[in-house]
Amino acid sequence: MTRALVLGGGGITGIAWEWGLLAGLAEAGVDLTAADLVVGTSAGSVVGAQVASGLDPRERYRAQLEPPDGEVAAALGPGVLLRYAVAMVGPGTPARARARIGRMALRATTEPESARIQVIESRLPVREWPDRPLLVTAVDAGSGEFRVFDRDSGVPLVRAVAASCAVPGVWPPVTIDGQRFMDGGMRSSANADLAGGYERVVVLAPIARGLGQLTPVATQVEALRARSRVALVTPDPAAVRAIGRNVLDPSRRAQAARAGLAQARSVLGQVREVWAD
């Protein structure tokens, strides 16, 4: 066990930004897709499934530049964000806070679960779990329990990714073994602690902040640094502008990807220092 790649959540624009970074770094000779472990949360699970399956990041980057024909924008409205905040700062353990968000997710009026899974399947050019270790995160909407799926979990890859991407209040929780699961980002936007034990870790986090009992990525990265060499990459100011305020808007996908590609140049040194043998 030597190198782990952690891919955090961040909506459609986060997927695009991550592919831009991965493509730019690959062009510069730093191949993060050679990771021994891939950890994917929410948007990062979409990218992670493809990375672990061996897809070329430069080809996947080019796919982000295609017009988003037929894709409908969604948004985390003020009401949803307020309910997140109230749930996260309420009393009790982090699991109880997540369960409060889960209750909101289960009550929300959304598109049917089956339709959402079809959308995820259409965006995911791989269908089977890869041979390389891949961890996909989710949260039990009923109990708030954190769950990690892998190829030994007995869960179809598309359904695991759909669960990891099930943004509460926007998309429906996904049924797995009779339980309903929501976005793994409700524990942490990247869940970087799952890379513990690996010597070299690179974390790409479109969203790094925490809220209430939602653990910030930086906190997990600092804990990892006690035993590992770690590089944390978050959007630079140009990427933040490109991504905009609505990470679920497909019309901003191409510009987010280009911003990731451009940012790869400025982070190349720190990533190479951690990743290179």
Side-chain angles (χ1 to χ4, degrees), residues 129-143:
W129 286 93
D131 293 333
R132 194 181 332 179
L134 167 67
L135 303 181
V136 174
T137 69
V139 170
D140 187 315
S143 67

Side-chain angles (χ1 to χ4, degrees), residues 93-109:
T93 64
R96 285 186 61 187
R98 295 192 294 267
R100 289 192 289 268
I101 292 179
R103 287 194 292 272
M104 180 267 286
L106 292 168
R107 291 194 300 262
T109 300

Side-chain angles (χ1 to χ4, degrees), residues 26-60:
E27 288 176 356
V30 179
D31 182 14
L32 296 184
T33 67
D36 301 295
L37 170 73
V38 179
V39 178
T41 291
S42 196
S45 72
V46 176
V47 178
Q50 297 172 68
V51 166
S53 299
L55 273 62
D56 186 339
R58 287 158 291 198
E59 291 183 3
R60 300 313 303 153

Side-chain angles (χ1 to χ4, degrees), residues 4-246:
L5 173 63
V6 177
L7 299 162
I12 290 174
T13 54
I15 292 172
W17 176 78
E18 288 178 353
W19 279 128
L21 274 171
L22 290 167
L25 290 167
E27 288 176 356
V30 179
D31 182 14
L32 296 184
T33 67
D36 301 295
L37 170 73
V38 179
V39 178
T41 291
S42 196
S45 72
V46 176
V47 178
Q50 297 172 68
V51 166
S53 299
L55 273 62
D56 186 339
R58 287 158 291 198
E59 291 183 3
R60 300 313 303 153
Y61 164 74
R62 288 191 288 271
Q64 303 307 305
L65 306 182
E66 296 294 326
D69 298 334
E71 293 197 40
V72 179
L76 286 168
V80 173
L81 292 174
L82 178 60
R83 288 194 287 274
Y84 281 7
V86 170
M88 282 296 183
V89 301
T93 64
R96 285 186 61 187
R98 295 192 294 267
R100 289 192 289 268
I101 292 179
R103 287 194 292 272
M104 180 267 286
L106 292 168
R107 291 194 300 262
T109 300
T110 65
E111 69 178 2
E113 179 183 338
S114 59
R116 182 60 186 165
I117 291 174
Q118 289 178 357
V119 169
I120 296 297
E121 187 171 33
S122 70
R123 291 177 179 169
L124 200 61
V126 294
R127 299 289 185 272
E128 303 297 328
W129 286 93
D131 293 333
R132 194 181 332 179
L134 167 67
L135 303 181
V136 174
T137 69
V139 170
D140 187 315
S143 67
E145 179 185 358
F146 182 56
R147 180 76 178 271
V148 180
F149 299 110
D150 62 16
R151 63 175 300 167
D152 297 323
S153 299
V155 177
L157 177 61
V158 171
R159 190 165 286 269
V161 171
S164 191
C165 293
V167 181
V170 178
W171 309 122
V174 172
T175 305
I176 296 175
D177 295 332
Q179 303 296 113
R180 305 289 301 283
F181 287 89
M182 62 181 180
D183 199 309
M186 292 300 102
R187 175 181 181 260
S188 164
S189 66
N191 295 296
D193 57 322
L194 294 179
Y198 283 77
E199 297 171 8
R200 304 159 189 253
V201 182
V202 172
V203 181
L204 307 185
I207 298 174
R209 63 184 179 274
L211 172 67
Q213 299 194 48
L214 195 156
T215 307
V217 176
T219 301
Q220 295 181 332
V221 165
E222 285 307 308
L224 284 174
R225 283 182 172 144
R227 297 188 176 182
S228 308
R229 294 165 59 182
V230 187
L232 170 61
V233 181
T234 61
D236 63 12
V240 169
R241 290 191 296 271
I243 289 168
R245 294 186 176 182
N246 181 10

